[in-house]
Amino acid sequence: MEWQPEPESLRQLIQLLNSTQSPDNEVQQQNNQRLEELRKVPDFINYLLFVLVAMKEESATARAVAGLLLKNSVRQDFGNIPPHVLEYVKRKSIDAIGDPDTLVRHTLGTVIATSVALGKIRNWPEILPRLMQLLDSTEYPVVEGAWDILHKICDECGLELDEPLEDGTRPLNVMIPKFLSFFSSELPLLREYAIATTTIFVSKRSECMQPMIDTFVVELFKRANDDNPEVLKAVCRAIVALLETRPEKLMPELENVVNYMIYTTQHSDPDIAMEACEFWLAFCEQEELVESLRPFLSRVIPTLMRGMVYTERDLLMLDNGDDDAVVPDSDQDIKPRHHRARTHDYHEGGGAASGEDGEGADDGDSDDDYEYDSEDDEDDIYSEWNLRKCSAASLDVMSTAFGDQVLEFVLPALREELASDDWCIKEAGILALGAIAEGCMTGMEPHLANLLPYLIQWFKHEKALVRSIACWSASRYGKWALFGSEPNTIKVYFEPLLAGLLETMMDNNKRVQEAACSAFATIEELAGPYMVPYIQPVLETLIRSFDLYQRKNLIILYDAVGTLAEAVGNELNHPPYVQMLMPNMMKRWENLHTEDPHMFPLFECLSAIALSLGPSFAPYAQPVFERCVQIVGETLQVCQQAAHDPSIEAPDRDLVIVALDLISSIVQALGEDSQHLIAEHNGIALQLVGMCMIDPVTDVRQSAFALLGDLAMHCFALLRPQLDGIMQQLIPQIDRNFSHIHVCNNAAWSAGEIALKAGDELMQPYVNPLLERLIPLLNSETTPMTLAENAAITIGRLGLVCPAIVAPNLEIFAQRWCLVLLSVKDNDEKSSAFRGMMTMIGTNPQGISKAFLYFCQAALNWQTPDPLLMDMFIQTFAGLKQLAGNEWEASMSMLDPQARQMIKDRFNA
């Protein structure tokens, strides 16, 4: 007998679904609590599906809410859904695909696609044949519903569809020809579905797509002049996908394709124009193709520059009011912020540094530069990617690809735009000026002596959007203002730029404040120690800004303060500066609630300040440290409770990460004096670090091992009693498969710091288990360089402390060890590793014989070895020369003459 709902339970659920639209927060909380209770009912999913597909008399909204709850339940609990319930969902959902209500139909499509993605196509073999069959239905809702589901399944399960089924057939061999036949459908929505869905497999480089790619191209260009805007957008996306995956299919007709994309980039519909504009961005990002674009630059570049002008729709949505500085921000104005856990990088020098090991790290030159700040949108009220931003990003990558050659086409238009009386056109010209900064700096230099003062002058333009873009554009030329070839560059150009930005930071428009503060942060990062003479006026402006800014811009202000601390380093550590800054920062620290979005940037800001002030941070360290420990402890406690009680929502662990990183900064700032701070808490802090080292969240472990390394350097006496437990937790994190690269990186680094402090006797039990993991990491060509460097330095340090254990392995890793450390700049950590290498050579001189030339190269790469290291180099070469005897000259002859002479001159060998 088929399942049927119990009437009273169904009535209560309907009532609950209808009340979800209530604006009353109390009602919403009650609903959420009731829904959480219902999720535990075994046939809750059946009830939701019944409402979605069977209760057509109910409102579409209530049915759609049921569908969304159903989708979430399936996604969250798929593995625990009883088979008979899952079969009920499959059977009933297929029967309802053609529901007459579009909202219900699409919600059902999401449920089906989610079930297919989680359960795999092979476990629902009838779904694809049924959907393909429904494409031939004469009922529009059925066909449209089937297309909606197919598109979602193809997006979620594209790779699985490309694989052969048990009978050897591939679903796509049947699906793609059917999709292509709909390119010429009489119904625009079906044409759009067909093009968009087939394009998925072009983008994924589907194997089944390749034999049909020519047909795809032919059918696609038949729709090039389609009269439906959504179809035209799909055509543009498909052309971009072809460019990125099968450019050879476009190259024979490149001129026609370029002409079409130029034409479409100027379409009256800005959304269509934006999709076409993506073509130029994609083209310039492919080095092997970009040269083919050169003949068309004279037409493409002016098109892009026209696309940078604000449209009427842009301006309507921007809320372009001028004096809004006193208008409070709502919580919706503040975007979620995620902290990047710290990773040790020897190129950053000392301690664990923030970054992504060169893998996707933001270098400040991303497309988001057309949003003033690489993390925050230029216009948060209107923050989606649009034609203006796409045009600017395309011009940027084009100028990077072709360099000063684009100026022939940019400058004439730029002169007209900058001189225009229409502020929108002038603003677009300023945007273009900033866009070409990186790629055309050399060619722009003769013009900057005149242009930069104009940009600074436009900081005071009557229109806020002109003021804000002028700040961003000027910051793109900050390096020239600092280091340009003009006489007295800093005095004549940098100081007016800095003064202009500081003044504009106090603007009465929030958008201008944001742009000026972000531009200032860029400038101070570029200037580094050159900011030292200006600390006083900078701090005065920053402190005043704290009183002026609303909540959103305060986040950028915290970043600017932290960047100043990083730029000037210990020069901030002067009593007048400390007295100006710290009372304000501590007041904010004390008044902020833990849940406040400002906690993240304030933590990061205080971390930078602590490192800059060093021991002078001591008067402020205790309350900061105690709150960090409290936050870590409370968050971990709630996480443990949530793991055992589904009704408890697990908290965001990002606060744990920033707290651990701030504790690290305090430890580095106070050095050995931080031991007293940590010891006062009866080891609670160390217990929490131990818990974080085995936390399931990767970033928490990453920061925990960064802190462990700092504790080893400065507080080893506190770690000594717990060393065995620490090493048992640390060693497994050095993963030879580097599945969690940053955790592995920090664990390897902290092992080296521990080794230096622990010494031979304490460290012996852990050396071989560490080497079993570190040596394969070092020797693998696929190991990311920063991780390989950490592995090499830790191996060297282990060799310094326990040479008798490490030296017998020297021949296995010596060559790679020398090669990897060539790229690491001279510092104390590298020095300790080289002292370890030479201690191992002294223990096992034969171990270096096959890597002797690489060792010579690594030794000569040192620029300024400290006296102890230099003495060890001299002794090591002397020992190797004596051991080689008559063969020494033969070994040396394998070096080039210059290297031979340098070995003799520097190391007396």
Side-chain angles (χ1 to χ4, degrees):
M1 181 176 176
E2 185 170 84
W3 179 89
Q4 290 293 324
E6 194 276 317
E8 178 58 23
S9 298
L10 183 61
R11 186 192 65 79
Q12 291 180 20
L13 177 59
I14 293 292
Q15 183 180 9
L16 186 62
L17 293 172
N18 284 321
S19 68
T20 58
Q21 304 305 306
S22 170
D24 190 319
N25 288 334
E26 187 175 342
V27 172
Q28 290 289 3
Q29 290 177 359
Q30 293 172 356
N31 288 343
N32 290 336
Q33 184 177 355
R34 179 64 180 143
L35 285 170
E36 193 61 43
E37 293 171 359
L38 288 173
R39 279 191 65 218
K40 301 173 185 177
V41 176
D43 53 358
F44 180 54
I45 284 178
N46 294 31
Y47 276 95
L48 292 174
L49 183 66
F50 188 86
V51 173
L52 176 64
V53 303
M55 302 199 68
K56 294 182 171 56
E57 69 277 10
E58 295 297 330
S59 71
T61 302
R63 294 172 67 198
V65 171
L68 291 174
L69 290 171
L70 174 58
K71 183 264 293 183
N72 291 336
S73 294
V74 170
R75 186 177 294 279
Q76 293 171 15
D77 302 320
F78 188 82
N80 300 319
I81 298 175
H84 69 278
V85 173
L86 205 54
E87 286 304 314
Y88 178 80
V89 170
K90 292 177 181 180
R91 186 173 66 256
K92 288 295 182 181
S93 58
I94 285 181
D95 293 341
I97 284 174
D99 194 282
D101 187 274
T102 303
L103 177 61
V104 171
R105 197 163 62 238
H106 288 182
T107 305
L108 177 64
T110 302
V111 171
I112 293 174
T114 300
S115 301
V116 172
L118 293 173
K120 304 302 179 185
I121 292 168
R122 62 179 176 272
N123 294 320
W124 195 350
E126 62 272 20
I127 185 63
L128 290 180
R130 179 61 175 157
L131 290 171
M132 297 301 291
Q133 180 186 19
L134 293 177
L135 292 183
D136 293 326
S137 171
T138 57
E139 299 179 35
Y140 174 79
V142 173
V143 179
E144 195 276 339
W147 263 119
D148 175 65
I149 298 167
L150 280 166
H151 181 76
K152 289 170 179 172
I153 289 175
C154 290
D155 197 35
E156 291 269 359
C157 312
L159 295 177
E160 189 183 358
L161 291 167
D162 213 16
E163 297 171 356
L165 299 175
E166 291 182 3
D167 61 2
T169 62
R170 295 174 187 257
L172 288 184
N173 285 336
V174 175
M175 295 167 69
I176 291 176
K178 187 72 171 179
F179 294 169
L180 291 172
S181 71
F182 273 84
F183 278 36
S184 55
S185 169
E186 294 181 357
L187 298 173
L189 183 56
L190 303 190
R191 296 199 298 273
E192 179 196 350
Y193 269 129
I195 296 170
T197 307
T198 313
T199 300
I200 290 171
F201 300 104
V202 176
S203 297
K204 292 180 182 292
R205 295 178 169 85
S206 160
E207 186 178 332
C208 293
M209 186 73 224
Q210 303 318 310
M212 292 175 269
I213 197 74
D214 290 331
T215 306
F216 171 77
V217 172
V218 170
E219 294 299 321
L220 180 68
F221 280 102
K222 288 180 182 179
R223 309 309 329 157
N225 295 309
D226 200 285
D227 56 5
N228 181 272
E230 298 305 319
V231 174
L232 275 182
K233 288 185 220 175
V235 169
C236 290
R237 293 187 195 109
I239 293 173
V240 171
L242 281 170
L243 181 69
E244 292 174 334
T245 61
R246 295 297 302 271
E248 74 280 4
K249 296 300 176 182
L250 298 179
M251 288 301 111
E253 295 293 331
L254 182 61
E255 184 171 1
N256 290 331
V257 173
V258 167
N259 288 337
Y260 174 73
M261 299 309 285
I262 289 175
Y263 173 79
T264 313
T265 303
Q266 301 173 83
H267 199 283
S268 59
D269 183 331
D271 293 333
I272 295 173
M274 184 196 72
E275 295 295 348
C277 191
E278 293 279 1
F279 178 82
W280 314 115
L281 192 58
F283 211 130
C284 292
E285 289 176 341
Q286 300 192 63
E287 293 182 7
E288 68 280 6
L289 296 179
V290 70
E291 192 60 31
S292 305
L293 196 58
R294 186 183 299 276
F296 309 103
L297 292 179
S298 61
R299 294 165 57 220
V300 174
I301 288 174
T303 301
L304 293 176
M305 294 184 69
R306 286 191 291 272
M308 293 183 211
V309 180
Y310 277 117
T311 65
E312 290 184 11
R313 185 176 69 173
D314 293 338
L315 295 175
L316 284 171
M317 299 186 71
L318 274 173
D319 186 22
N320 188 25
D322 268 345
D323 296 337
D324 63 354
V326 297
V327 179
D329 294 328
S330 67
D331 289 339
Q332 288 74 25
D333 292 330
I334 303 175
K335 294 201 277 186
R337 182 184 177 100
H338 300 286
H339 175 75
R340 282 195 302 189
R342 298 163 69 234
T343 301
H344 186 273
D345 182 348
Y346 288 103
H347 296 281
E348 299 291 337
S354 175
E356 297 294 326
D357 295 346
E359 298 177 2
D362 181 4
D363 60 3
D365 294 317
S366 68
D367 297 341
D368 286 344
D369 284 330
Y370 306 102
E371 301 165 334
Y372 301 156
D373 186 339
S374 60
E375 292 182 355
D376 296 289
D377 283 344
E378 161 196 54
D379 312 308
D380 277 310
I381 299 171
Y382 181 53
S383 61
E384 80 265 20
W385 185 243
N386 58 19
L387 175 61
R388 164 188 162 80
K389 295 176 184 178
C390 188
S391 297
S394 298
L395 182 60
D396 185 337
V397 295
M398 204 167 285
S399 65
T400 301
F402 294 103
D404 294 339
Q405 297 170 57
V406 305
L407 294 179
E408 175 186 354
F409 314 110
V410 171
L411 289 179
L414 196 58
R415 290 189 186 99
E416 288 184 18
E417 291 184 345
L418 295 179
S420 175
D421 293 330
D422 184 330
W423 74 264
C424 283
I425 294 176
K426 184 188 293 289
E427 193 275 349
I430 299 171
L431 173 60
L433 181 60
I436 63 173
E438 183 182 356
C440 303
M441 183 64 75
T442 302
M444 287 301 297
E445 281 190 2
H447 308 280
L448 291 178
N450 294 321
L451 275 174
L452 190 59
Y454 272 111
L455 283 173
I456 296 170
Q457 177 183 321
W458 288 326
F459 292 177
K460 298 182 179 181
H461 194 277
E462 63 176 339
K463 292 294 184 180
L465 291 173
V466 175
R467 300 199 297 275
S468 57
I469 196 63
C471 291
W472 174 78
S473 188
S475 73
R476 299 273 284 182
Y477 293 97
K479 187 176 291 186
W480 179 85
L482 279 161
F483 310 116
S485 57
E486 293 285 320
N488 301 317
T489 302
I490 290 181
K491 190 75 175 174
V492 177
Y493 300 106
F494 176 72
E495 289 186 359
L497 173 58
L498 179 61
L501 287 174
L502 290 175
E503 182 179 354
T504 311
M505 284 172 64
M506 306 300 295
D507 197 278
N508 284 326
N509 180 272
K510 290 192 285 188
R511 183 175 289 109
V512 178
Q513 292 172 2
E514 178 183 4
C517 194
S518 296
F520 166 70
T522 299
I523 293 298
E524 61 181 343
E525 187 173 11
L526 285 170
Y530 288 93
M531 288 297 299
V532 171
Y534 314 104
I535 293 176
Q536 177 88 16
V538 165
L539 282 178
E540 289 173 354
T541 300
L542 293 173
I543 298 304
R544 288 169 59 207
S545 298
F546 273 114
D547 293 329
L548 175 64
Y549 284 12
Q550 299 299 326
R551 289 168 57 77
K552 178 187 169 189
N553 284 349
L554 280 174
I555 293 174
I556 303 169
L557 190 58
Y558 286 127
D559 288 342
V561 174
T563 304
L564 176 68
E566 293 169 353
V568 302
N570 195 244
E571 292 295 329
L572 189 62
N573 185 20
H574 290 282
Y577 302 154
V578 175
Q579 194 55 41
M580 286 178 67
L581 180 63
M582 289 310 297
N584 190 296
M585 301 306 298
M586 294 308 295
K587 179 182 176 182
R588 294 180 179 281
W589 172 263
E590 292 161 3
N591 292 338
L592 274 185
H593 296 294
T594 302
E595 299 78 17
D596 196 297
H598 286 171
M599 286 300 288
F600 290 102
L602 181 56
F603 268 73
E604 294 167 345
C605 179
L606 282 174
S607 291
I609 292 172
L611 293 173
S612 180
L613 298 186
S616 296
F617 191 76
Y620 316 101
Q622 184 164 349
V624 175
F625 176 83
E626 288 177 350
R627 189 168 186 185
C628 288
V629 171
Q630 178 185 357
I631 286 172
V632 173
E634 290 177 353
T635 305
L636 292 181
Q637 183 178 12
V638 177
C639 287
Q640 289 179 341
Q641 293 170 350
H644 297 94
D645 185 351
S647 67
I648 299 175
E649 184 179 355
D652 188 346
R653 280 179 167 88
D654 275 4
L655 266 179
V656 173
I657 298 164
V658 292
L660 291 172
D661 290 349
L662 182 48
I663 293 172
S664 280
S665 296
I666 293 172
V667 170
Q668 292 177 63
L670 303 188
E672 292 184 359
D673 290 342
S674 62
Q675 292 187 73
H676 306 297
L677 195 63
I678 296 169
E680 286 177 5
H681 291 77
N682 300 319
I684 293 175
L686 296 182
Q687 291 175 20
L688 294 175
V689 174
M691 293 171 63
C692 290
M693 284 161 50
I694 56 174
D695 193 89
V697 174
T698 303
D699 284 354
V700 173
R701 300 202 305 278
Q702 179 180 332
S703 287
F705 283 109
L707 174 54
L708 178 65
D710 291 327
L711 290 170
M713 279 193 283
H714 303 293
C715 311
F716 184 74
L718 300 178
L719 298 184
R720 183 190 297 268
Q722 304 177 38
L723 184 61
D724 189 63
I726 289 170
M727 296 307 295
Q728 298 306 325
Q729 291 175 334
L730 182 154
I731 292 171
Q733 300 296 332
I734 303 176
D735 181 2
R736 283 169 287 190
N737 298 318
F738 45 86
S739 53
H740 301 297
I741 173 176
H742 304 307
V743 177
C744 183
N745 199 53
N746 286 358
W749 167 71
S750 60
E753 295 295 344
I754 290 170
L756 290 182
K757 295 292 186 177
D760 186 6
E761 185 176 347
L762 277 178
M763 203 65 198
Q764 280 186 16
Y766 315 111
V767 174
N768 278 326
L770 285 168
L771 292 178
E772 289 172 4
R773 293 169 178 268
L774 291 169
I775 291 175
L777 276 179
L778 173 63
N779 284 337
S780 172
E781 295 289 341
T782 61
T783 301
M785 185 51 70
T786 300
L787 180 53
E789 291 165 359
N790 270 302
I793 286 181
T794 298
I795 290 170
R797 290 172 154 189
L798 291 172
L800 178 63
V801 174
C802 303
I805 301 176
V806 185
N809 301 284
L810 189 57
E811 185 176 346
I812 302 172
F813 64 78
Q815 178 177 319
R816 178 71 176 161
W817 190 96
C818 294
L819 285 171
V820 164
L821 291 187
L822 279 175
S823 60
V824 177
K825 67 181 181 181
D826 296 358
N827 57 34
D828 292 342
E829 294 168 318
K830 181 179 174 182
S831 177
S832 64
F834 266 82
R835 285 189 282 116
M837 169 57 77
M838 288 184 280
T839 302
M840 289 185 281
I841 291 173
T843 303
N844 177 23
Q846 295 299 326
I848 199 64
S849 57
K850 293 182 180 178
F852 175 70
L853 297 180
Y854 297 94
F855 176 70
C856 291
Q857 185 181 8
L860 290 173
N861 197 55
W862 273 89
Q863 303 300 311
T864 55
D866 58 76
L868 175 59
L869 183 63
M870 177 58 81
D871 187 56
M872 289 192 74
F873 273 128
I874 293 171
Q875 291 182 27
T876 298
F877 276 106
L880 290 172
K881 181 176 181 179
Q882 182 179 2
L883 187 67
N886 295 332
E887 297 179 7
W888 176 254
E889 290 302 325
S891 298
M892 293 294 287
S893 67
M894 292 162 43
L895 294 166
D896 64 74
Q898 184 180 4
R900 285 202 303 271
Q901 190 59 46
M902 290 176 67
I903 292 286
K904 291 178 181 179
D905 293 344
R906 293 184 66 182
F907 306 127
N908 302 327

